[in-house]
């Protein structure tokens, strides 16, 4: 691993880095990933856009479970990996962060220029009138509509969803848009089966094509939504570094591959290229 870390260090030290992050970066903040060591993919099927919009029962089930899971996401704090990335941006070595995560932890760590590919879980949109509100406001309205809703959470998933028995779901009452009164509310995230907005994708491609290197952090690159940027970088001759626990579907395009916990490796990397102050940045910066 020492040799791989040396190559990674050289790439980052040269600057012009674009980071592509995935769920593996947030596991040390208490948010599980889908396919890594804490992965839940084998037991959990994420909500699809088609089911959410077409099936009222599926929508009720989603909001009942997400109402509970949101509390974990809202209470999560950036970990040492997020802070190291923010420090590298502050040092002028990382130009942009593209994240597949919806937890907002890059921004909470102090990272500017974050492109949130799949949206943010802390915002809610009306599919009818387009109004955007905060998740805190929706949480207040759902609590008022369900004063007696009590449920035991068995496990929380990366998208803020939880496992919940059907009989507990049946007691939950969703709410409609507070502005137009009848609109269907949806978290402002990209569900499976939904298309990432074209303008957002274009921003990501532009950032990658302008980069000196692309560094992937904590993503298995299983879905094309993120893997396409690795493919584009490789086609343009831009070096790709992948740091992830376990293999990824982008390994064939990687210039260097490091298998290590991000919370330990990223502060070490930051200390190498930008000084110990970066690695030791306090939580919540």
């Amino acid at each position: 691993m020492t040799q791989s870390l040396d190559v990674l260090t050289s790439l980052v030290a040269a600057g012009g880095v674009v980071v592509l992050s995935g769920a593996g970066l947030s596991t040390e903040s208490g948010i599980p990933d889908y396919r890594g060591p804490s992965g839940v993919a084998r037991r959990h099927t994420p909500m699809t856009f088609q089911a959410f919009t077409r099936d009222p029962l599926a929508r009720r089930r989603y909001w009942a479970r997400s109402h509970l899971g949101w509390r974990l996401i809202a209470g999560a704090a950036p970990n040492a990996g997020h802070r190291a990335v923010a420090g590298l941006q502050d040092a002028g070595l990382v130009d942009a962060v593209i994240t597949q995560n919806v937890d907002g932890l890059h921004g909470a760590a102090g990272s500017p220029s974050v492109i949130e590919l799949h949206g943010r879980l802390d915002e809610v949109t009306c599919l009818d009138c387009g109004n955007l509100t905060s998740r805190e406001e929706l949480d207040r309205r759902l609590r008022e509509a369900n004063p007696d809703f009590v449920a035991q959470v068995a496990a929380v998933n990366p998208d803020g969803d939880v496992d919940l028995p059907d009989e507990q779901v049946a007691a939950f009452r969703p709410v409609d848009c507070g502005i137009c009164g009848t609109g269907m509310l949806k978290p402002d995230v990209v569900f499976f089966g939904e298309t990432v907005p074209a303008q957002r994708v274009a921003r990501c491609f532009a950032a990658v094509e302008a980069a000196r290197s692309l560094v992937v952090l904590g993503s298995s690159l299983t879905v094309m939504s993120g893997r396409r940027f690795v493919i584009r970088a490789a086609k343009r001759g831009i070096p790709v570094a992948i740091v992830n626990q376990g293999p990824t579907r982008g390994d064939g395009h990687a210039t260097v591959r490091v298998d290590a916990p991000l919370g330990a490796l990223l502060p070490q990397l930051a200390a190498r290229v930008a000084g110990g102050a970066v690695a030791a940045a306090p939580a919540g910066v």
Side-chain angles (χ1 to χ4, degrees):
M1 183 179 118
T2 301
Q3 183 177 3
S4 297
L5 183 55
D6 289 342
V7 176
L8 176 63
T9 300
S10 296
L11 288 176
V12 175
V17 176
V18 169
V19 165
L20 172 63
S21 70
L25 185 60
S26 293
T27 56
E28 292 175 56
S29 294
I31 302 173
D33 62 4
Y34 280 115
R35 299 173 181 89
S38 66
V40 296
R42 287 184 296 274
R43 63 172 171 78
H44 174 65
T45 301
M47 175 62 66
T48 66
F49 181 74
Q50 292 76 15
F52 184 88
T53 54
R54 297 173 186 172
D55 185 349
L57 294 180
R59 196 157 54 250
R60 177 198 297 268
R61 186 164 56 250
Y62 174 83
W63 279 121
R65 302 190 317 193
S66 184
H67 179 56
L68 297 175
W70 160 246
R71 297 170 194 174
L72 173 79
I73 304 296
N79 62 52
H82 295 107
R83 296 194 297 273
V85 171
L88 290 170
Q89 283 186 279
D90 188 57
L93 298 174
V94 171
D95 290 343
V97 174
I98 301 167
T99 185
Q100 300 171 88
N101 300 337
V102 297
D103 52 37
L105 292 180
H106 276 297
S111 279
S113 305
V114 179
I115 304 173
E116 289 163 316
L117 184 64
H118 297 149
R120 294 180 62 101
L121 201 60
D122 63 356
E123 295 179 337
V124 179
T125 185
C126 174
L127 295 182
D128 289 357
C129 72
N131 183 65
L132 194 67
T133 56
S134 72
R135 187 62 181 263
E136 287 83 358
E137 170 64 15
L138 176 63
D139 185 68
R140 180 190 64 78
R141 294 182 60 214
L142 286 174
R143 288 173 185 267
E144 290 177 353
N146 297 275
D148 300 320
F149 182 69
V150 179
Q152 291 295 114
V153 177
V156 180
N157 302 306
D159 54 2
D161 197 358
V162 303
D163 293 337
L164 203 61
D166 288 344
E167 59 270 19
Q168 293 181 330
V169 169
F172 189 80
R173 180 189 165 204
V175 297
D176 292 323
C177 177
I179 301 299
C180 69
T182 59
M184 183 187 302
L185 294 179
K186 172 184 170 292
D188 196 29
V189 300
V190 178
F191 283 169
F192 281 75
E194 190 176 5
T195 302
V196 179
Q199 186 176 18
R200 195 180 302 166
V201 175
R203 286 181 62 203
C204 293
F205 275 129
V208 169
E209 290 169 3
R212 288 183 182 171
S213 63
L214 176 65
V215 177
V216 179
L217 302 176
S219 175
S220 65
L221 300 171
T222 299
V223 296
M224 184 56 74
S225 181
R227 191 166 74 252
R228 58 185 156 182
F229 304 119
V230 171
I231 295 171
R232 177 67 62 89
K235 285 184 176 179
R236 294 295 181 99
I238 298 167
V240 175
I242 298 178
V243 187
N244 189 63
Q245 288 189 271
T248 81
R249 290 193 66 184
D251 287 352
H253 300 290
T255 304
V256 60
R257 175 79 169 81
V258 181
D259 192 318
L262 291 163
L265 183 136
L266 290 177
Q268 181 183 351
L269 173 66
R272 281 185 168 209
V273 301
V278 171
V285 170

